[in-house]
Amino acid sequence: SDAFGRQTEIDRGYYATSTLLARGLSEYAYSVGLVRQRYGLESFSYGPPVALARHRVGITDHLTLGMRGEGYRHGLSAGPDLVLGGPFGEFELDLGASSDYSALHGGSALLAAYEYRTGPASWRGVAKVVSPHYSNASLAALDNRDTWDISVFTGVALARRTSLSTQVVLGHSRDNGNVERLLANVSQGFGAGISAQLIASRNYDELTRTTYELFGVLTLALPLQHTLSASEDLSHQGASTTESLSRPMLGPTGVGY
């Protein structure tokens, strides 16, 4: 999760703006559970309880307002969000405030994003400012974080089943000084429910200097909504291989794993 509670299944620093909702439509999620730890590395590894809530409403076809909140073992975090759209693209503004009573720290965060799409190409710019002790369900007040960063994303569909995206991030880490991140992502569909993704990245900060990473995943869609995936991660820390079989919970009732 990032400072505003957005979650990604593969954490490679991507950020996707919240979409506009049509007038009168609502989007919401209220969840209670246990924090999943060491995802993809260890099975049945769970931490303390957590409660998450997010609710968004389309005020008009061009304006969506929302609110999110998180309650976790060491504190609370909440804030409003706004999405404004039109022919000029989409603009998003998120605010966050937190209180971490285990470390006796409060904090705040701000995010501003702009996205524009035309034909097969898209462009996104994101600016974030996070106070030194802001916290949420996945970030403790004493954890290191980027106190500010500016990200530029570009994406283009090269063919019907092939896409290329890039990311450039410049920022400042509270504990590690200035940071730079460069990333390229190629996705390829092969039909019959088979797809592949390859991500290459370069990361720099003043403490650990320059590191490189290569991540690839092959995914196969199986009957009954099952998904089988195999991934390989190569970095300066070594290599790791992960295989997984999953099924999402569909509808208001059911079983997922």
Side-chain angles (χ1 to χ4, degrees):
S1 302
D2 66 12
F4 298 91
R6 293 176 178 77
Q7 299 174 344
T8 52
E9 293 184 8
I10 300 176
D11 182 9
R12 288 295 181 273
Y14 278 108
Y15 170 81
T17 54
S18 298
T19 56
L20 280 169
L21 298 176
R23 180 180 179 179
L25 288 184
S26 296
E27 175 188 75
Y28 56 87
Y30 297 90
S31 307
V32 177
L34 301 176
V35 176
R36 182 68 166 93
Q37 298 176 330
R38 297 179 59 78
Y39 179 79
L41 300 176
E42 183 177 337
S43 298
F44 305 106
S45 177
Y46 293 91
V50 62
L52 307 174
R54 192 178 189 209
H55 200 122
R56 303 171 63 240
V57 178
I59 306 301
T60 72
D61 289 340
H62 303 290
L63 174 64
T64 297
L65 300 178
M67 189 75 183
R68 63 158 196 92
E70 304 176 25
Y72 37 95
R73 181 177 61 179
H74 48 84
L76 299 170
S77 175
D81 63 81
L82 170 153
V83 181
L84 180 65
F88 53 83
E90 291 187 6
F91 171 77
E92 179 179 1
L93 178 66
D94 289 31
L95 301 175
S98 69
S99 176
D100 190 313
Y101 38 80
S102 65
L104 299 180
H105 284 294
S108 58
L110 179 148
L111 177 148
Y114 173 75
E115 178 175 19
Y116 183 76
R117 299 186 180 193
T118 175
S122 63
W123 179 90
R124 296 194 300 272
V126 181
K128 289 190 290 184
V129 179
V130 181
S131 68
H133 296 106
Y134 177 82
S135 65
N136 63 15
S138 60
L139 181 70
L142 300 181
D143 288 347
N144 185 31
R145 79 285 307 287
D146 289 352
T147 54
W148 66 266
D149 67 57
I150 298 174
S151 308
V152 177
F153 307 78
T154 58
V156 61
L158 302 177
R160 187 167 65 92
R161 295 177 177 173
T162 307
S163 64
L164 170 67
S165 61
T166 62
Q167 174 189 4
V168 178
V169 180
L170 300 177
H172 183 83
S173 167
R174 186 190 67 185
D175 299 340
N176 297 346
N178 293 330
V179 298
E180 300 174 7
R181 302 186 186 97
L182 305 176
L183 185 146
N185 178 2
V186 178
S187 298
Q188 175 67 57
F190 299 98
I194 302 174
S195 62
Q197 185 178 32
L198 182 64
I199 302 173
S201 64
R202 173 190 178 273
N203 298 288
Y204 167 85
D205 63 57
E206 294 180 358
L207 181 63
T208 59
R209 299 302 177 181
T210 303
T211 60
Y212 296 89
E213 185 174 6
L214 185 64
F215 175 83
V217 59
L218 182 66
T219 302
L220 173 63
L222 300 176
L224 302 177
Q225 302 296 326
H226 288 77
T227 300
L228 178 66
S229 65
S231 63
E232 182 77 16
D233 196 319
L234 304 174
S235 70
H236 66 287
Q237 297 177 331
S240 64
T241 302
T242 303
E243 298 84 24
S244 68
L245 176 66
S246 61
R247 181 184 187 276
M249 187 176 74
L250 304 175
T253 61
V255 176
Y257 56 86

mmCIF file with all atom_site columns, all heavy atoms in Angstrom, residues 188-199:
data_model
loop_
_atom_site.group_PDB
_atom_site.id
_atom_site.type_symbol
_atom_site.label_atom_id
_atom_site.label_alt_id
_atom_site.label_comp_id
_atom_site.label_asym_id
_atom_site.label_entity_id
_atom_site.label_seq_id
_atom_site.pdbx_PDB_ins_code
_atom_site.Cartn_x
_atom_site.Cartn_y
_atom_site.Cartn_z
_atom_site.occupancy
_atom_site.B_iso_or_equiv
_atom_site.pdbx_formal_charge
_atom_site.auth_seq_id
_atom_site.auth_comp_id
_atom_site.auth_asym_id
_atom_site.auth_atom_id
_atom_site.pdbx_PDB_model_num
ATOM 1  N N   . GLN A 1 188 ? 2.974  -8.843  -22.606 1.00 0.00 ? 188 GLN A N   1
ATOM 2  C CA  . GLN A 1 188 ? 2.672  -9.527  -23.855 1.00 0.00 ? 188 GLN A CA  1
ATOM 3  C C   . GLN A 1 188 ? 1.597  -10.585 -23.607 1.00 0.00 ? 188 GLN A C   1
ATOM 4  O O   . GLN A 1 188 ? 1.738  -11.426 -22.712 1.00 0.00 ? 188 GLN A O   1
ATOM 5  C CB  . GLN A 1 188 ? 3.926  -10.204 -24.412 1.00 0.00 ? 188 GLN A CB  1
ATOM 6  C CG  . GLN A 1 188 ? 3.698  -11.041 -25.650 1.00 0.00 ? 188 GLN A CG  1
ATOM 7  C CD  . GLN A 1 188 ? 3.308  -10.197 -26.856 1.00 0.00 ? 188 GLN A CD  1
ATOM 8  O OE1 . GLN A 1 188 ? 4.044  -9.285  -27.234 1.00 0.00 ? 188 GLN A OE1 1
ATOM 9  N NE2 . GLN A 1 188 ? 2.169  -10.486 -27.467 1.00 0.00 ? 188 GLN A NE2 1
ATOM 10 N N   . GLY A 1 189 ? 0.520  -10.531 -24.382 1.00 0.00 ? 189 GLY A N   1
ATOM 11 C CA  . GLY A 1 189 ? -0.497 -11.569 -24.342 1.00 0.00 ? 189 GLY A CA  1
ATOM 12 C C   . GLY A 1 189 ? -0.298 -12.537 -25.493 1.00 0.00 ? 189 GLY A C   1
ATOM 13 O O   . GLY A 1 189 ? 0.081  -12.137 -26.598 1.00 0.00 ? 189 GLY A O   1
ATOM 14 N N   . PHE A 1 190 ? -0.546 -13.830 -25.224 1.00 0.00 ? 190 PHE A N   1
ATOM 15 C CA  . PHE A 1 190 ? -0.321 -14.855 -26.242 1.00 0.00 ? 190 PHE A CA  1
ATOM 16 C C   . PHE A 1 190 ? -1.596 -15.574 -26.642 1.00 0.00 ? 190 PHE A C   1
ATOM 17 O O   . PHE A 1 190 ? -1.567 -16.476 -27.472 1.00 0.00 ? 190 PHE A O   1
ATOM 18 C CB  . PHE A 1 190 ? 0.693  -15.895 -25.730 1.00 0.00 ? 190 PHE A CB  1
ATOM 19 C CG  . PHE A 1 190 ? 2.043  -15.317 -25.412 1.00 0.00 ? 190 PHE A CG  1
ATOM 20 C CD1 . PHE A 1 190 ? 2.374  -15.004 -24.103 1.00 0.00 ? 190 PHE A CD1 1
ATOM 21 C CD2 . PHE A 1 190 ? 2.956  -15.071 -26.416 1.00 0.00 ? 190 PHE A CD2 1
ATOM 22 C CE1 . PHE A 1 190 ? 3.612  -14.475 -23.800 1.00 0.00 ? 190 PHE A CE1 1
ATOM 23 C CE2 . PHE A 1 190 ? 4.199  -14.533 -26.128 1.00 0.00 ? 190 PHE A CE2 1
ATOM 24 C CZ  . PHE A 1 190 ? 4.529  -14.236 -24.810 1.00 0.00 ? 190 PHE A CZ  1
ATOM 25 N N   . GLY A 1 191 ? -2.735 -15.191 -26.072 1.00 0.00 ? 191 GLY A N   1
ATOM 26 C CA  . GLY A 1 191 ? -3.966 -15.893 -26.341 1.00 0.00 ? 191 GLY A CA  1
ATOM 27 C C   . GLY A 1 191 ? -4.097 -17.124 -25.462 1.00 0.00 ? 191 GLY A C   1
ATOM 28 O O   . GLY A 1 191 ? -3.154 -17.511 -24.755 1.00 0.00 ? 191 GLY A O   1
ATOM 29 N N   . ALA A 1 192 ? -5.271 -17.747 -25.468 1.00 0.00 ? 192 ALA A N   1
ATOM 30 C CA  . ALA A 1 192 ? -5.543 -18.956 -24.691 1.00 0.00 ? 192 ALA A CA  1
ATOM 31 C C   . ALA A 1 192 ? -5.297 -18.726 -23.208 1.00 0.00 ? 192 ALA A C   1
ATOM 32 O O   . ALA A 1 192 ? -4.923 -19.648 -22.478 1.00 0.00 ? 192 ALA A O   1
ATOM 33 C CB  . ALA A 1 192 ? -4.700 -20.128 -25.194 1.00 0.00 ? 192 ALA A CB  1
ATOM 34 N N   . GLY A 1 193 ? -5.460 -17.476 -22.740 1.00 0.00 ? 193 GLY A N   1
ATOM 35 C CA  . GLY A 1 193 ? -5.302 -17.184 -21.324 1.00 0.00 ? 193 GLY A CA  1
ATOM 36 C C   . GLY A 1 193 ? -3.879 -17.093 -20.836 1.00 0.00 ? 193 GLY A C   1
ATOM 37 O O   . GLY A 1 193 ? -3.629 -17.085 -19.628 1.00 0.00 ? 193 GLY A O   1
ATOM 38 N N   . ILE A 1 194 ? -2.917 -16.980 -21.752 1.00 0.00 ? 194 ILE A N   1
ATOM 39 C CA  . ILE A 1 194 ? -1.502 -16.927 -21.377 1.00 0.00 ? 194 ILE A CA  1
ATOM 40 C C   . ILE A 1 194 ? -0.976 -15.507 -21.577 1.00 0.00 ? 194 ILE A C   1
ATOM 41 O O   . ILE A 1 194 ? -1.215 -14.887 -22.612 1.00 0.00 ? 194 ILE A O   1
ATOM 42 C CB  . ILE A 1 194 ? -0.661 -17.909 -22.217 1.00 0.00 ? 194 ILE A CB  1
ATOM 43 C CG1 . ILE A 1 194 ? -1.183 -19.333 -22.051 1.00 0.00 ? 194 ILE A CG1 1
ATOM 44 C CG2 . ILE A 1 194 ? 0.806  -17.839 -21.820 1.00 0.00 ? 194 ILE A CG2 1
ATOM 45 C CD1 . ILE A 1 194 ? -0.503 -20.332 -22.966 1.00 0.00 ? 194 ILE A CD1 1
ATOM 46 N N   . SER A 1 195 ? -0.275 -14.988 -20.592 1.00 0.00 ? 195 SER A N   1
ATOM 47 C CA  . SER A 1 195 ? 0.327  -13.665 -20.697 1.00 0.00 ? 195 SER A CA  1
ATOM 48 C C   . SER A 1 195 ? 1.659  -13.648 -19.958 1.00 0.00 ? 195 SER A C   1
ATOM 49 O O   . SER A 1 195 ? 1.914  -14.484 -19.087 1.00 0.00 ? 195 SER A O   1
ATOM 50 C CB  . SER A 1 195 ? -0.606 -12.592 -20.113 1.00 0.00 ? 195 SER A CB  1
ATOM 51 O OG  . SER A 1 195 ? -0.825 -12.826 -18.729 1.00 0.00 ? 195 SER A OG  1
ATOM 52 N N   . ALA A 1 196 ? 2.511  -12.682 -20.321 1.00 0.00 ? 196 ALA A N   1
ATOM 53 C CA  . ALA A 1 196 ? 3.824  -12.555 -19.698 1.00 0.00 ? 196 ALA A CA  1
ATOM 54 C C   . ALA A 1 196 ? 4.132  -11.093 -19.451 1.00 0.00 ? 196 ALA A C   1
ATOM 55 O O   . ALA A 1 196 ? 3.622  -10.201 -20.149 1.00 0.00 ? 196 ALA A O   1
ATOM 56 C CB  . ALA A 1 196 ? 4.909  -13.177 -20.581 1.00 0.00 ? 196 ALA A CB  1
ATOM 57 N N   . GLN A 1 197 ? 4.938  -10.845 -18.439 1.00 0.00 ? 197 GLN A N   1
ATOM 58 C CA  . GLN A 1 197 ? 5.339  -9.492  -18.091 1.00 0.00 ? 197 GLN A CA  1
ATOM 59 C C   . GLN A 1 197 ? 6.810  -9.500  -17.696 1.00 0.00 ? 197 GLN A C   1
ATOM 60 O O   . GLN A 1 197 ? 7.264  -10.381 -16.964 1.00 0.00 ? 197 GLN A O   1
ATOM 61 C CB  . GLN A 1 197 ? 4.483  -8.968  -16.935 1.00 0.00 ? 197 GLN A CB  1
ATOM 62 C CG  . GLN A 1 197 ? 4.737  -7.513  -16.571 1.00 0.00 ? 197 GLN A CG  1
ATOM 63 C CD  . GLN A 1 197 ? 3.819  -7.037  -15.456 1.00 0.00 ? 197 GLN A CD  1
ATOM 64 O OE1 . GLN A 1 197 ? 3.438  -7.814  -14.591 1.00 0.00 ? 197 GLN A OE1 1
ATOM 65 N NE2 . GLN A 1 197 ? 3.461  -5.770  -15.469 1.00 0.00 ? 197 GLN A NE2 1
ATOM 66 N N   . LEU A 1 198 ? 7.560  -8.497  -18.183 1.00 0.00 ? 198 LEU A N   1
ATOM 67 C CA  . LEU A 1 198 ? 8.968  -8.361  -17.855 1.00 0.00 ? 198 LEU A CA  1
ATOM 68 C C   . LEU A 1 198 ? 9.221  -6.936  -17.384 1.00 0.00 ? 198 LEU A C   1
ATOM 69 O O   . LEU A 1 198 ? 8.856  -5.971  -18.063 1.00 0.00 ? 198 LEU A O   1
ATOM 70 C CB  . LEU A 1 198 ? 9.837  -8.661  -19.084 1.00 0.00 ? 198 LEU A CB  1
ATOM 71 C CG  . LEU A 1 198 ? 11.362 -8.606  -18.863 1.00 0.00 ? 198 LEU A CG  1
ATOM 72 C CD1 . LEU A 1 198 ? 11.797 -9.696  -17.888 1.00 0.00 ? 198 LEU A CD1 1
ATOM 73 C CD2 . LEU A 1 198 ? 12.098 -8.746  -20.197 1.00 0.00 ? 198 LEU A CD2 1
ATOM 74 N N   . ILE A 1 199 ? 9.826  -6.792  -16.194 1.00 0.00 ? 199 ILE A N   1
ATOM 75 C CA  . ILE A 1 199 ? 10.084 -5.487  -15.593 1.00 0.00 ? 199 ILE A CA  1
ATOM 76 C C   . ILE A 1 199 ? 11.566 -5.364  -15.288 1.00 0.00 ? 199 ILE A C   1
ATOM 77 O O   . ILE A 1 199 ? 12.132 -6.208  -14.589 1.00 0.00 ? 199 ILE A O   1
ATOM 78 C CB  . ILE A 1 199 ? 9.275  -5.298  -14.292 1.00 0.00 ? 199 ILE A CB  1
ATOM 79 C CG1 . ILE A 1 199 ? 7.777  -5.452  -14.555 1.00 0.00 ? 199 ILE A CG1 1
ATOM 80 C CG2 . ILE A 1 199 ? 9.566  -3.941  -13.673 1.00 0.00 ? 199 ILE A CG2 1
ATOM 81 C CD1 . ILE A 1 199 ? 6.942  -5.444  -13.294 1.00 0.00 ? 199 ILE A CD1 1
#
